[in-house]
Amino acid sequence: MDRLAFNAAASVNEQRIARQVLAHELANVHTTGFKRSYEVVLQAYKADGQGFDSRHQPQIVSKDQIQLKPGPLIATGRDLDILLNDSTVLGVNAPNGETAFTRRGDLRLNNQGTLVNGAGHLVLSADNNPITIPVGFKVRFGSDGNVFATDPTQPGVPQEVPIAQLFLRDASEVRLERREDGLFKVLGQASGTDFATGQQPVGLTSQALESSNVNPMAALVRLIDQSRMFEQQVRMIKEAKSN
């Protein structure tokens, strides 16, 4: 009975990681471009130490690997909003100065006229530099990631001027994991590491945003399942004590 209580208590303790992942997803149901992680895995390993010869303890394994499944499209009609198609990711400048990747496309101009996303990360060009838009110019994004600017005060028919090419990569052939700041990096690689784009063409849809790919109903069902599992493990501990 001691082993039963030991394993039940260990399971309750290890399930906390799954609860944290689920709580993180529920908190970002309405976050633009948010991607949920793959499910955590519960595996058993033999506990070492005196008195543990016959005990196997469950342990949660999670690397926070990103699921790039597209979220719902939201048409906004706003010129600076972009939706990244398929497995395309956008390169941005992380708060610590490293190059990182994101799916967030709610772009805007900061006080210096530099292009940033809704989280304040600097959007990078193909040559790994910030993108600055001339004051008063209207911005348009091409489907291939080219950035064009138009001067509305120009007499006659305004001419579009190419400003930069967005830092886009196809991540269909690599695995990404979440950084501590919420951005993406290549799984198993050092932060700031770039990767070769995949075989699928990169692209975007302008004047639209991608919603979170978290299914609220499915997440709530999983939350209920977590609650029931916790109650079951606690009941097993009480029964072991009673026996």
Side-chain angles (χ1 to χ4, degrees), residues 4-44:
L4 174 62
F6 173 82
N7 287 330
S11 179
V12 170
N13 183 57
E14 289 297 335
Q15 285 292 336
R16 75 190 188 282
I17 301 179
R19 290 192 292 270
Q20 290 173 359
V21 172
L22 180 56
H24 185 238
E25 292 178 0
L26 284 172
N28 288 277
V29 167
H30 299 294
T31 300
T32 301
F34 178 81
K35 296 297 179 185
R36 64 185 301 262
S37 304
Y38 282 100
E39 302 289 348
V40 294
V41 177
L42 186 65
Q43 67 180 22

Short mmCIF file of all heavy atoms in Angstrom, two decimals, residues 4-44:
data_model
loop_
_atom_site.label_atom_id
_atom_site.label_comp_id
_atom_site.label_asym_id
_atom_site.label_seq_id
_atom_site.Cartn_x
_atom_site.Cartn_y
_atom_site.Cartn_z
N LEU A 4 1.59 2.16 -3.48
CA LEU A 4 0.43 2.76 -4.13
C LEU A 4 0.35 4.24 -3.80
O LEU A 4 0.16 5.08 -4.69
CB LEU A 4 -0.84 2.04 -3.67
CG LEU A 4 -2.17 2.65 -4.15
CD1 LEU A 4 -2.26 2.61 -5.67
CD2 LEU A 4 -3.35 1.90 -3.53
N ALA A 5 0.48 4.58 -2.53
CA ALA A 5 0.43 5.99 -2.12
C ALA A 5 1.60 6.77 -2.72
O ALA A 5 1.46 7.92 -3.15
CB ALA A 5 0.44 6.10 -0.60
N PHE A 6 2.78 6.13 -2.76
CA PHE A 6 3.97 6.78 -3.31
C PHE A 6 3.76 7.14 -4.78
O PHE A 6 4.02 8.27 -5.21
CB PHE A 6 5.17 5.85 -3.15
CG PHE A 6 6.41 6.33 -3.83
CD1 PHE A 6 7.23 7.27 -3.23
CD2 PHE A 6 6.76 5.86 -5.09
CE1 PHE A 6 8.37 7.72 -3.86
CE2 PHE A 6 7.90 6.30 -5.72
CZ PHE A 6 8.71 7.23 -5.11
N ASN A 7 3.28 6.20 -5.56
CA ASN A 7 3.08 6.44 -6.99
C ASN A 7 1.96 7.44 -7.25
O ASN A 7 2.05 8.26 -8.16
CB ASN A 7 2.79 5.12 -7.71
CG ASN A 7 4.01 4.25 -7.85
OD1 ASN A 7 5.12 4.74 -7.94
ND2 ASN A 7 3.81 2.95 -7.83
N ALA A 8 0.89 7.38 -6.45
CA ALA A 8 -0.21 8.33 -6.63
C ALA A 8 0.25 9.74 -6.32
O ALA A 8 -0.07 10.69 -7.04
CB ALA A 8 -1.39 7.93 -5.74
N ALA A 9 1.02 9.90 -5.24
CA ALA A 9 1.52 11.22 -4.89
C ALA A 9 2.49 11.75 -5.95
O ALA A 9 2.49 12.93 -6.29
CB ALA A 9 2.20 11.18 -3.52
N ALA A 10 3.33 10.86 -6.47
CA ALA A 10 4.27 11.26 -7.52
C ALA A 10 3.53 11.69 -8.78
O ALA A 10 3.92 12.65 -9.45
CB ALA A 10 5.22 10.12 -7.83
N SER A 11 2.45 10.99 -9.11
CA SER A 11 1.66 11.35 -10.28
C SER A 11 1.01 12.73 -10.11
O SER A 11 1.00 13.54 -11.04
CB SER A 11 0.59 10.30 -10.53
OG SER A 11 -0.21 10.64 -11.64
N VAL A 12 0.47 13.00 -8.91
CA VAL A 12 -0.10 14.32 -8.64
C VAL A 12 0.95 15.41 -8.83
O VAL A 12 0.70 16.47 -9.42
CB VAL A 12 -0.69 14.38 -7.22
CG1 VAL A 12 -1.07 15.80 -6.84
CG2 VAL A 12 -1.90 13.48 -7.11
N ASN A 13 2.16 15.15 -8.33
CA ASN A 13 3.23 16.14 -8.43
C ASN A 13 3.66 16.36 -9.87
O ASN A 13 3.87 17.51 -10.30
CB ASN A 13 4.42 15.68 -7.59
CG ASN A 13 5.55 16.68 -7.59
OD1 ASN A 13 5.36 17.84 -7.22
ND2 ASN A 13 6.73 16.24 -7.99
N GLU A 14 3.77 15.29 -10.66
CA GLU A 14 4.24 15.43 -12.03
C GLU A 14 3.18 16.06 -12.94
O GLU A 14 3.51 16.74 -13.91
CB GLU A 14 4.65 14.06 -12.58
CG GLU A 14 5.92 13.50 -11.97
CD GLU A 14 7.14 14.36 -12.26
OE1 GLU A 14 7.14 15.08 -13.27
OE2 GLU A 14 8.08 14.32 -11.46
N GLN A 15 1.90 15.86 -12.63
CA GLN A 15 0.85 16.41 -13.47
C GLN A 15 0.80 17.94 -13.41
O GLN A 15 0.11 18.57 -14.20
CB GLN A 15 -0.51 15.84 -13.06
CG GLN A 15 -0.74 14.41 -13.50
CD GLN A 15 -0.88 14.29 -15.01
OE1 GLN A 15 -1.22 15.25 -15.68
NE2 GLN A 15 -0.61 13.10 -15.53
N ARG A 16 1.54 18.53 -12.49
CA ARG A 16 1.53 19.99 -12.38
C ARG A 16 2.05 20.64 -13.66
O ARG A 16 1.59 21.72 -14.05
CB ARG A 16 2.36 20.45 -11.18
CG ARG A 16 3.86 20.36 -11.40
CD ARG A 16 4.66 20.58 -10.13
NE ARG A 16 6.08 20.68 -10.42
CZ ARG A 16 6.87 19.65 -10.67
NH1 ARG A 16 6.37 18.42 -10.65
NH2 ARG A 16 8.16 19.83 -10.92
N ILE A 17 3.00 19.97 -14.34
CA ILE A 17 3.54 20.53 -15.58
C ILE A 17 2.47 20.56 -16.65
O ILE A 17 2.33 21.54 -17.39
CB ILE A 17 4.76 19.71 -16.05
CG1 ILE A 17 5.85 19.72 -14.96
CG2 ILE A 17 5.31 20.26 -17.35
CD1 ILE A 17 7.07 18.92 -15.32
N ALA A 18 1.67 19.49 -16.75
CA ALA A 18 0.58 19.47 -17.72
C ALA A 18 -0.44 20.54 -17.40
O ALA A 18 -0.99 21.19 -18.31
CB ALA A 18 -0.07 18.09 -17.73
N ARG A 19 -0.70 20.77 -16.12
CA ARG A 19 -1.64 21.82 -15.74
C ARG A 19 -1.09 23.20 -16.09
O ARG A 19 -1.85 24.09 -16.50
CB ARG A 19 -1.95 21.72 -14.24
CG ARG A 19 -2.78 20.50 -13.86
CD ARG A 19 -3.29 20.61 -12.43
NE ARG A 19 -2.20 20.51 -11.46
CZ ARG A 19 -1.78 19.36 -10.93
NH1 ARG A 19 -2.35 18.22 -11.30
NH2 ARG A 19 -0.81 19.34 -10.04
N GLN A 20 0.20 23.40 -15.93
CA GLN A 20 0.81 24.68 -16.28
C GLN A 20 0.71 24.94 -17.78
O GLN A 20 0.40 26.06 -18.21
CB GLN A 20 2.27 24.70 -15.82
CG GLN A 20 2.45 24.75 -14.32
CD GLN A 20 3.89 24.59 -13.90
OE1 GLN A 20 4.79 24.42 -14.73
NE2 GLN A 20 4.15 24.61 -12.60
N VAL A 21 0.98 23.92 -18.59
CA VAL A 21 0.87 24.06 -20.04
C VAL A 21 -0.55 24.39 -20.44
O VAL A 21 -0.81 25.28 -21.26
CB VAL A 21 1.35 22.77 -20.75
CG1 VAL A 21 1.06 22.84 -22.25
CG2 VAL A 21 2.83 22.54 -20.49
N LEU A 22 -1.52 23.71 -19.84
CA LEU A 22 -2.93 23.95 -20.16
C LEU A 22 -3.36 25.34 -19.73
O LEU A 22 -4.07 26.04 -20.46
CB LEU A 22 -3.79 22.89 -19.47
CG LEU A 22 -5.30 22.97 -19.70
CD1 LEU A 22 -5.63 22.94 -21.18
CD2 LEU A 22 -6.01 21.83 -18.97
N ALA A 23 -2.93 25.78 -18.54
CA ALA A 23 -3.27 27.12 -18.07
C ALA A 23 -2.67 28.19 -18.99
O ALA A 23 -3.31 29.22 -19.27
CB ALA A 23 -2.78 27.32 -16.64
N HIS A 24 -1.47 27.93 -19.50
CA HIS A 24 -0.83 28.88 -20.42
C HIS A 24 -1.62 28.99 -21.72
O HIS A 24 -1.79 30.08 -22.27
CB HIS A 24 0.60 28.41 -20.70
CG HIS A 24 1.39 29.35 -21.55
ND1 HIS A 24 1.94 28.98 -22.75
CD2 HIS A 24 1.69 30.66 -21.40
CE1 HIS A 24 2.57 30.01 -23.29
NE2 HIS A 24 2.43 31.04 -22.49
N GLU A 25 -2.12 27.86 -22.21
CA GLU A 25 -2.91 27.88 -23.44
C GLU A 25 -4.23 28.63 -23.23
O GLU A 25 -4.63 29.44 -24.08
CB GLU A 25 -3.16 26.45 -23.92
CG GLU A 25 -1.91 25.74 -24.38
CD GLU A 25 -2.18 24.31 -24.82
OE1 GLU A 25 -3.36 23.90 -24.75
OE2 GLU A 25 -1.24 23.61 -25.22
N LEU A 26 -4.90 28.36 -22.12
CA LEU A 26 -6.18 29.04 -21.86
C LEU A 26 -5.98 30.54 -21.70
O LEU A 26 -6.84 31.33 -22.10
CB LEU A 26 -6.82 28.46 -20.60
CG LEU A 26 -7.47 27.08 -20.74
CD1 LEU A 26 -7.89 26.54 -19.39
CD2 LEU A 26 -8.68 27.16 -21.67
N ALA A 27 -4.86 30.95 -21.14
CA ALA A 27 -4.59 32.38 -20.97
C ALA A 27 -4.31 33.08 -22.29
O ALA A 27 -4.38 34.32 -22.36
CB ALA A 27 -3.42 32.58 -20.01
N ASN A 28 -3.99 32.31 -23.34
CA ASN A 28 -3.64 32.91 -24.64
C ASN A 28 -4.64 32.54 -25.73
O ASN A 28 -4.29 32.56 -26.91
CB ASN A 28 -2.24 32.47 -25.06
CG ASN A 28 -1.15 33.11 -24.23
OD1 ASN A 28 -0.73 34.23 -24.48
ND2 ASN A 28 -0.69 32.39 -23.22
N VAL A 29 -5.87 32.22 -25.35
CA VAL A 29 -6.89 31.88 -26.34
C VAL A 29 -7.11 33.03 -27.33
O VAL A 29 -7.36 32.81 -28.52
CB VAL A 29 -8.21 31.50 -25.63
CG1 VAL A 29 -9.36 31.45 -26.62
CG2 VAL A 29 -8.06 30.16 -24.94
N HIS A 30 -7.00 34.27 -26.86
CA HIS A 30 -7.27 35.43 -27.71
C HIS A 30 -5.98 36.17 -28.11
O HIS A 30 -6.07 37.31 -28.60
CB HIS A 30 -8.22 36.40 -27.00
CG HIS A 30 -9.56 35.81 -26.67
ND1 HIS A 30 -10.47 35.43 -27.64
CD2 HIS A 30 -10.13 35.50 -25.48
CE1 HIS A 30 -11.55 34.94 -27.07
NE2 HIS A 30 -11.38 34.96 -25.76
N THR A 31 -4.83 35.56 -27.92
CA THR A 31 -3.57 36.18 -28.32
C THR A 31 -3.31 35.95 -29.81
O THR A 31 -3.34 34.81 -30.27
CB THR A 31 -2.40 35.62 -27.50
OG1 THR A 31 -2.64 35.87 -26.11
CG2 THR A 31 -1.08 36.27 -27.90
N THR A 32 -3.06 37.01 -30.53
CA THR A 32 -2.84 36.93 -31.98
C THR A 32 -1.62 36.07 -32.29
O THR A 32 -0.53 36.29 -31.74
CB THR A 32 -2.63 38.33 -32.57
OG1 THR A 32 -3.78 39.14 -32.28
CG2 THR A 32 -2.41 38.27 -34.06
N GLY A 33 -1.81 35.07 -33.17
CA GLY A 33 -0.71 34.24 -33.62
C GLY A 33 -0.17 33.26 -32.60
O GLY A 33 0.88 32.65 -32.84
N PHE A 34 -0.86 33.07 -31.47
CA PHE A 34 -0.35 32.14 -30.45
C PHE A 34 -0.46 30.70 -30.95
O PHE A 34 -1.44 30.32 -31.59
CB PHE A 34 -1.14 32.29 -29.15
CG PHE A 34 -0.72 31.34 -28.07
CD1 PHE A 34 0.39 31.61 -27.30
CD2 PHE A 34 -1.42 30.16 -27.84
CE1 PHE A 34 0.79 30.72 -26.30
CE2 PHE A 34 -1.03 29.27 -26.86
CZ PHE A 34 0.08 29.56 -26.08
N LYS A 35 0.57 29.90 -30.64
CA LYS A 35 0.60 28.49 -31.03
C LYS A 35 0.71 27.62 -29.79
O LYS A 35 1.55 27.86 -28.93
CB LYS A 35 1.79 28.21 -31.96
CG LYS A 35 1.73 28.95 -33.29
CD LYS A 35 0.54 28.52 -34.08
CE LYS A 35 0.45 29.27 -35.39
NZ LYS A 35 -0.78 28.94 -36.13
N ARG A 36 -0.15 26.62 -29.72
CA ARG A 36 -0.11 25.71 -28.59
C ARG A 36 1.03 24.70 -28.76
O ARG A 36 1.55 24.51 -29.87
CB ARG A 36 -1.44 24.99 -28.41
CG ARG A 36 -1.85 24.08 -29.55
CD ARG A 36 -3.24 23.52 -29.32
NE ARG A 36 -3.31 22.76 -28.07
CZ ARG A 36 -3.20 21.44 -28.02
NH1 ARG A 36 -3.04 20.73 -29.13
NH2 ARG A 36 -3.27 20.81 -26.87
N SER A 37 1.41 24.09 -27.67
CA SER A 37 2.49 23.12 -27.68
C SER A 37 1.93 21.71 -27.80
O SER A 37 0.75 21.47 -27.55
CB SER A 37 3.33 23.24 -26.40
OG SER A 37 3.81 24.55 -26.23
N TYR A 38 2.81 20.78 -28.16
CA TYR A 38 2.41 19.38 -28.17
C TYR A 38 2.16 18.91 -26.73
O TYR A 38 2.69 19.47 -25.78
CB TYR A 38 3.47 18.51 -28.84
CG TYR A 38 3.44 18.59 -30.34
CD1 TYR A 38 4.33 19.40 -31.03
CD2 TYR A 38 2.50 17.89 -31.07
CE1 TYR A 38 4.30 19.49 -32.41
CE2 TYR A 38 2.46 17.96 -32.44
CZ TYR A 38 3.36 18.76 -33.11
OH TYR A 38 3.31 18.86 -34.47
N GLU A 39 1.32 17.87 -26.61
CA GLU A 39 0.97 17.37 -25.29
C GLU A 39 2.22 16.85 -24.56
O GLU A 39 3.16 16.36 -25.18
CB GLU A 39 -0.05 16.23 -25.42
CG GLU A 39 -1.33 16.64 -26.13
CD GLU A 39 -2.19 17.56 -25.31
OE1 GLU A 39 -1.92 17.71 -24.10
OE2 GLU A 39 -3.14 18.14 -25.85
N VAL A 40 2.19 17.00 -23.24
CA VAL A 40 3.25 16.43 -22.43
C VAL A 40 3.08 14.91 -22.38
O VAL A 40 2.00 14.38 -22.60
CB VAL A 40 3.24 17.01 -21.01
CG1 VAL A 40 3.57 18.48 -21.02
CG2 VAL A 40 1.89 16.77 -20.35
N VAL A 41 4.17 14.21 -22.12
CA VAL A 41 4.17 12.74 -22.09
C VAL A 41 4.49 12.27 -20.67
O VAL A 41 5.42 12.78 -20.03
CB VAL A 41 5.22 12.18 -23.08
CG1 VAL A 41 5.27 10.67 -22.99
CG2 VAL A 41 4.88 12.62 -24.50
N LEU A 42 3.72 11.32 -20.18
CA LEU A 42 3.95 10.74 -18.85
C LEU A 42 4.65 9.40 -19.03
O LEU A 42 4.11 8.48 -19.65
CB LEU A 42 2.63 10.55 -18.12
CG LEU A 42 2.71 10.07 -16.66
CD1 LEU A 42 3.39 11.12 -15.80
CD2 LEU A 42 1.32 9.76 -16.13
N GLN A 43 5.86 9.27 -18.51
CA GLN A 43 6.61 8.04 -18.61
C GLN A 43 7.10 7.63 -17.22
O GLN A 43 7.23 8.46 -16.32
CB GLN A 43 7.79 8.17 -19.57
CG GLN A 43 8.89 9.11 -19.10
CD GLN A 43 10.03 9.20 -20.09
OE1 GLN A 43 9.87 8.92 -21.26
NE2 GLN A 43 11.19 9.61 -19.61
N ALA A 44 7.36 6.33 -17.05
CA ALA A 44 7.80 5.80 -15.76
C ALA A 44 9.31 5.57 -15.76
O ALA A 44 9.88 5.15 -16.77
CB ALA A 44 7.07 4.51 -15.45
#
